[in-house]
Amino acid sequence: MSSASTPLQSSAVINEAVQTLRDGGLVAFPTETVYGLGADAKNPEAIQKIFTTKGRPADHPLIVHIAAANQFDVPQIDWIPLLAPWARDIPEDALKLINTFWPGPLTLVFKKEKSVLNALTGGQDTVAIRAPAHPIAQALLRKFKGAVVAPSANRFGKVSPTSAADVRNEFEGILDLMILDGGDCEVGIESTIIDFSSGDKAILLRPGVITPKEILFKTGVHVYLPGQLHLQNNESDEGADVPRVSGSLKAHYAPTTPLILYAPGRALDALSEFPDIKSRVAVAVWDSESSLVLEDHPSIDVSEIIVSSDPASFASKLYRTLRDLDQQGWDLILFPEPPTGEEWDGVRDRLQRACFGSGPSSKSHESN
Ligand code: TXA
Ligand code: MG
């Protein structure tokens, strides 16, 4: 973490946040991925507030956030007692991932303990858990001495917030929300989610900056893509209409300005497919490429925005860039298709969903 530039909240503010959680209120807080909208994981009314505030359907489960008691002893943390109140049947392979990547941007799904609230798991018999790395998230969790459920702190279907100001904009006029300010999120897209609930196999549910390749390299654990197990899975169609991962809906993370992707070197072609758009278009261009010289286009006012060709830096700025562009009143936003390769899977996934759901009508959100 870039702790030097992180405006750490005073302990008085953290105490106030803890009290708010204990009183059944909501607190928005920074994690290294995106900002979360937190509530006491043991309080059903507080959990209900999250769903109402976000406009999130009740069958979309939440992630339980936990922290180890001692921040100075990371390699020696025994996570098992911390997981015990929430999860059961934790495979050896899951512990290898936990010991390697926690605290960090990795969420694991397990069979749930009986006492875990149904409201939290969307009625499923599994539970998602993660230990965030951000120092403010950890300070909050430690002082609270309990677990906090936290979806991304945005209204359902919208771009996740990566700064305190984003959260404020998201809920302005809707809710007087306590927001802990931890600066800009470093990772920038949501955690990788891996499912260990269906036996000994690890299955990727949501790509993120921690990739199956990195997991294999660092732990020896093979992570399967959902499609790879499909043929072996007899119950594949059962409950197929229940979204296990809300981010898996086609139209998620969507800006209100229409957004499309262009193939390498094909920005002009993409523009010509939209002949009715005659005004302002923002085109994102790789920093590794020379200018597209789009000024040639007679009827369109085009501006270039430079984006990083390094996947981690790109991810870190993706939602920031989408939010900023969305507020600048463009008629269309063009982004380059991310290259193939696992390290781009997380941002490709978010960009494709953002395209699908983009545009002012939000038609696709309502159908979710
Ligand atoms: O990086 C993150 O994970 C952020 C920060 C705030 O921690 N949180 C986040 O939460 O992205 P949310 O609610 O926006 O997305 C959580 C995802 C949802 O897509 C949800 O469906 C999935 O986790 N999830 C939660 N419980 C699950 C379960 N039992 N089985 C499968 N997926 C689950
Ligand atoms: Mg979300």
Side-chain angles (χ1 to χ4, degrees):
M1 300 301 308
S2 58
S3 46
S5 61
T6 302
L8 279 171
Q9 298 271 245
S10 72
S11 67
V13 176
I14 301 276
N15 287 342
E16 192 188 331
V18 166
Q19 196 53 51
T20 304
L21 291 173
R22 292 209 175 115
D23 294 342
L26 305 184
V27 174
F29 63 96
T31 81
E32 71 280 25
T33 57
V34 300
Y35 274 68
L37 183 63
D40 179 356
K42 293 276 183 198
N43 183 331
E45 286 91 38
I47 291 172
Q48 188 47 48
K49 274 187 206 162
I50 286 187
F51 284 92
T52 314
T53 307
K54 275 190 65 112
R56 178 166 166 135
D59 62 357
H60 288 246
L62 302 173
I63 297 174
V64 173
H65 293 64
I66 58 172
N70 188 350
Q71 63 178 319
F72 305 109
D73 218 7
V74 170
Q76 308 198 5
I77 294 170
D78 180 7
W79 292 99
I80 294 177
L82 296 163
L83 290 167
W86 305 98
R88 60 188 172 82
D89 299 348
I90 296 165
E92 264 310 304
D93 279 357
L95 288 174
K96 285 186 196 159
L97 266 61
I98 286 172
N99 290 327
T100 307
F101 294 105
W102 278 12
L106 177 70
T107 297
L108 301 180
V109 174
F110 300 110
K111 292 202 178 86
K112 81 173 185 77
E113 258 307 322
K114 261 208 208 81
S115 63
V116 179
L117 294 168
N118 273 327
L120 183 169
T121 65
Q124 301 186 49
D125 61 356
T126 56
V127 62
I129 308 184
R130 100 173 182 94
H134 197 290
I136 294 178
Q138 293 189 357
L140 178 70
L141 291 164
R142 255 183 226 115
K143 277 204 177 161
F144 180 59
K145 293 195 169 67
V148 168
V149 282
S152 50
N154 52 280
R155 283 169 301 121
F156 185 66
K158 296 298 177 190
V159 177
S160 297
T162 53
S163 74
D166 291 345
V167 181
R168 210 166 295 120
N169 291 338
E170 197 71 15
F171 296 108
E172 198 124 68
I174 300 175
L175 173 79
D176 185 19
L177 182 67
M178 174 163 199
I179 304 170
L180 298 179
D181 190 346
D184 291 340
C185 300
E186 211 166 280
V187 172
I189 59 171
E190 302 81 353
S191 58
T192 303
I193 305 183
I194 293 179
D195 185 4
F196 277 101
S197 70
S198 52
D200 52 350
K201 295 247 182 350
I203 303 163
L204 183 70
L205 294 185
R206 179 171 73 183
V209 294
I210 296 178
T211 61
K213 216 183 272 170
E214 185 186 356
I215 291 172
L216 183 64
F217 180 72
K218 291 189 174 159
T219 67
V221 174
H222 188 93
V223 176
Y224 293 83
L225 305 181
Q228 291 177 309
L229 287 176
H230 194 69
L231 295 175
Q232 297 159 251
N233 186 357
N234 292 332
E235 19 167 6
S236 56
D237 285 329
E238 201 174 306
D241 53 344
V242 177
R244 303 201 62 208
V245 180
S246 71
S248 69
L249 294 171
K250 260 189 180 169
H252 224 72
Y253 318 109
T256 49
T257 313
L259 169 71
I260 54 174
L261 301 185
Y262 65 88
R266 297 272 186 199
L268 277 173
D269 296 359
L271 280 177
S272 60
E273 282 175 30
F274 284 78
D276 52 326
I277 294 189
K278 297 249 184 288
S279 34
R280 304 182 64 230
V281 180
V283 181
V285 180
W286 299 118
D287 58 4
S288 53
E289 271 169 21
S290 53
S291 168
L292 295 170
V293 205
L294 287 163
E295 302 86 62
D296 292 359
H297 215 283
S299 54
I300 301 179
D301 169 11
V302 174
S303 287
E304 288 183 12
I305 287 101
I306 305 299
V307 291
S308 175
S309 47
D310 168 70
S313 315
F314 185 99
S316 156
K317 291 276 179 322
L318 174 61
Y319 290 154
R320 164 88 289 109
T321 308
L322 287 179
R323 269 179 186 271
D324 289 349
L325 290 174
D326 217 10
Q327 277 166 16
Q328 289 165 10
W330 302 99
D331 294 306
L332 177 68
I333 305 169
L334 292 190
F335 257 74
E337 271 170 16
T340 52
E342 228 178 49
E343 67 278 21
W344 286 99
D345 282 355
V347 293
R348 188 180 317 103
D349 170 77
R350 305 314 191 276
L351 264 177
Q352 284 170 346
R353 292 178 206 288
C355 288
F356 190 84
S358 66
S361 71
S362 297
K363 51 189 183 329
S364 34
H365 302 150
E366 274 150 29
S367 64
N368 290 327

